[in-house]
Amino acid sequence: MNAVPTPEAASDVSALSYEQARDELVRVVSELEQGNASLEQSLQLWERGEALARRCEEWLIGAKARLDAARLGQRAQQTPTQTGGDEF
């Protein structure tokens, strides 16, 4: 990622899929770790990375909610076993 992110670019984070946000976040972190960016560029990259990390977290929270709902739905469909017929 050689281009410095702009404030307008930060607004497009909400349109990214989880995979797109994660991949871009990896690139941002890599560029920051290289240490070749100016202070201003580093701050912009950091801000972009924060926005990307939030987007990834939103996706993960949504995925967890869907899994939890599916699990609850499965439990509701299962019939409870009856007890009391197998007494000694």
Side-chain angles (χ1 to χ4, degrees):
M1 181 171 166
N2 294 328
V4 175
T6 62
E8 298 82 32
S11 65
D12 71 341
V13 168
S14 64
L16 296 177
S17 70
Y18 172 79
E19 291 80 7
Q20 290 168 324
R22 181 201 59 215
D23 291 347
E24 187 176 342
L25 180 57
V26 168
R27 286 190 297 272
V28 166
V29 169
S30 176
E31 190 163 337
L32 283 169
E33 287 177 341
Q34 289 176 15
N36 296 329
S38 69
L39 177 59
E40 183 62 30
Q41 290 171 328
S42 294
L43 289 172
Q44 289 177 344
L45 286 166
W46 180 270
E47 290 168 354
R48 179 71 176 178
E50 287 287 324
L52 291 164
R54 279 191 301 275
R55 182 63 179 151
C56 289
E57 185 175 23
E58 290 169 359
W59 272 106
L60 293 173
I61 289 170
K64 182 181 182 312
R66 288 175 62 189
L67 289 171
D68 290 345
R71 286 186 191 129
L72 287 174
Q74 255 184 342
R75 286 187 195 138
Q77 291 177 2
Q78 293 176 349
T79 58
T81 58
Q82 294 184 356
T83 59
D86 297 329
E87 298 176 298
F88 293 107

